[in-house]
């Protein structure tokens, strides 16, 4: 699989790149970013996957996430995919809403028309893109972890629970932990997967845990000034599920922080150090 370089910039001794390729999974061109820290020419480095939230592309975390200094110090490759397929022929929300369609792929493989052809973000971020990264960057595929924000936090936690032997660590900023129970998730899962809620459970962190999925432990931060906290995020549901099943969870309530990248960038270094400790153990 070939990639096209959109841009590269030196940062903290490493290279921040943006790349494009033709995706077989989505049937569209997809753009993603990769930061490769300074390293020996023969080194293979651990990789952290970052899944972004509603309305985002690769660019939000790349420009606002403030991850490069920590990644350079810790020797971590940082990969940020897009959140949905894009293009003139890709269907979006009928009312142009922000929480479905373009920018809101929810990290599932859609089965409902007209979305099934392009909206295959689960296959893209868990299969196609990892193979592409392994072919083109100096990654150690035995040392991978995953993190994300909001919708991407949902994606990261479900990816970890469904692939516990691939990912050594998983964390999230303000994740949607129970999409089957909140408006964002109900809209997206109905639209992409149909009305049968049994088919939603593989894409619901709390439901996966209820159904027996396990992981070594999670780090989750949320802000108590987050406007979406009570209606959409409900971190207490994750806490209850992890407590019942003895999954280690570090759940941190950050006073005064909201849902924005001001919040994410503040605690990004904490998360990357947490990942590095598990990736290099």
């Amino acid at each position: 699989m070939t990639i096209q370089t959109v841009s590269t910039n030196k940062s903290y001794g490493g290279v921040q790149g943006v790349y494009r390729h033709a995706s077989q999974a989505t049937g569209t061109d997809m753009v993603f970013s990769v930061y490769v820290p300074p390293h020996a020419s023969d080194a293979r480095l651990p990789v952290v996957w970052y899944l972004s939230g509603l309305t985002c592309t690769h660019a939000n975390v790349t420009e606002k996430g403030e991850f490069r200094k920590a990644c350079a110090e810790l020797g971590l490759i940082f990969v940020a995919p897009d959140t949905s397929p894009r293009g003139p022929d890709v269907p979006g929300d009928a009312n142009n809403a922000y929480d479905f369609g373009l920018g809101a792929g929810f990290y599932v493989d859609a089965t409902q028309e007209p979305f099934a052809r392009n909206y295959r973000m689960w296959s893209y971020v868990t299969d196609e893109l990892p193979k592409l990264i392994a072919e083109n960057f100096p990654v150690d595929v035995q040392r991978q972890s995953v993190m994300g924000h909001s919708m991407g936090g949902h994606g990261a936690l479900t990816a970890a629970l469904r692939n516990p032997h691939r990912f050594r660590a998983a964390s999230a900023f303000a994740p949607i932990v129970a999409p089957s129970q909140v408006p964002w998730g109900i809209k997206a899962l109905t639209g992409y997967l149909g009305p049968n809620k049994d088919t939603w459970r593989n894409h619901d962190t709390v439901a996966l845990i209820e159904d027996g999925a396990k992981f070594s432990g999670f780090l989750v931060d949320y802000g108590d000034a987050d406007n979406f906290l009570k209606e959409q995020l409900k971190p207490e549901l994750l806490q209850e599920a992890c407590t019942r099943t003895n999954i280690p969870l570090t759940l941190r309530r950050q006073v005064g922080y909201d849902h924005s990248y001001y919040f994410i960038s503040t605690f990004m270094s904490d998360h990357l150090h947490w990942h590095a400790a598990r990736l290099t153990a």
Side-chain angles (χ1 to χ4, degrees):
M1 292 184 284
T2 59
I3 63 173
Q4 174 189 351
T5 300
V6 176
S7 64
T8 57
N9 297 92
K10 187 171 182 178
S11 180
Y12 292 101
V15 175
Q16 176 64 66
V18 176
Y19 307 92
R20 177 184 292 111
H21 76 112
S23 168
Q24 294 182 353
T26 67
T28 66
D29 281 358
M30 296 293 288
V31 178
F32 61 93
S33 77
V34 182
Y35 178 71
V36 180
H39 62 283
S41 59
D42 60 348
R44 311 299 290 183
L45 305 176
V47 57
V48 178
W49 295 87
Y50 180 91
L51 305 184
S52 295
L54 290 167
T55 75
C56 292
T57 70
H58 71 281
N60 298 74
V61 70
T62 304
E63 296 170 1
K64 303 176 184 177
E66 299 184 20
F67 56 85
R68 280 174 287 271
K69 185 175 187 292
C71 284
E73 293 171 352
L74 297 167
L76 302 175
I77 291 176
F78 190 96
V79 181
D82 202 345
T83 56
S84 78
R86 299 179 193 271
D89 298 323
V90 176
D93 184 85
N95 298 312
N96 294 317
Y98 74 94
D99 56 357
F100 188 78
L102 300 178
F106 253 82
Y107 305 102
V108 303
D109 284 350
T111 59
Q112 304 300 297
E113 298 300 336
F115 306 103
R117 177 180 178 183
N118 303 118
Y119 285 81
R120 298 183 53 78
M121 291 304 296
W122 179 262
S123 291
Y124 181 70
V125 300
T126 65
D127 183 33
E128 184 179 27
L129 188 59
K131 290 177 180 176
L132 186 71
I133 296 297
E135 290 175 2
N136 290 276
F137 298 91
V139 301
D140 179 353
V141 296
Q142 301 303 314
R143 294 187 291 162
Q144 299 187 59
S145 69
V146 61
M147 64 192 302
H149 169 231
S150 193
M151 178 185 72
H154 137 77
L157 298 180
T158 56
L161 286 164
R162 291 177 61 180
N163 298 276
H165 301 298
R166 176 187 296 187
F167 298 112
R168 293 195 186 183
S171 73
F173 302 101
I176 305 168
V177 303
S180 301
Q181 302 183 48
V182 302
W184 277 343
I186 291 169
K187 178 178 180 178
L189 296 177
T190 301
Y192 294 133
L193 302 180
N196 182 355
K197 292 186 177 182
D198 288 341
T199 66
W200 301 2
R201 297 186 71 82
N202 273 342
H203 294 286
D204 183 308
T205 298
V206 169
L208 281 166
I209 293 172
E210 290 174 348
D211 292 345
K214 295 287 188 181
F215 197 69
S216 56
F218 301 120
L219 169 63
V220 173
D221 280 326
Y222 68 93
D224 70 355
D226 191 320
N227 290 336
F228 304 113
L229 184 60
K230 292 183 178 180
E231 183 180 25
Q232 306 283 8
L233 307 181
K234 298 185 180 294
E236 68 277 4
L237 297 179
L238 177 63
Q239 186 170 43
E240 292 165 3
C242 288
T243 298
R244 287 195 302 268
T245 55
N246 297 312
I247 294 176
L249 169 66
T250 301
L251 181 62
R252 305 193 305 187
R253 173 178 174 269
Q254 304 295 358
V255 177
Y257 285 90
D258 58 18
H259 201 69
S260 72
Y261 269 90
Y262 295 107
F263 157 61
I264 297 166
S265 62
T266 299
F267 300 101
M268 178 65 79
S269 181
D270 281 3
H271 280 241
L272 291 171
H273 278 82
W274 191 85
H275 283 253
R278 288 151 180 81
L279 289 167
T280 59

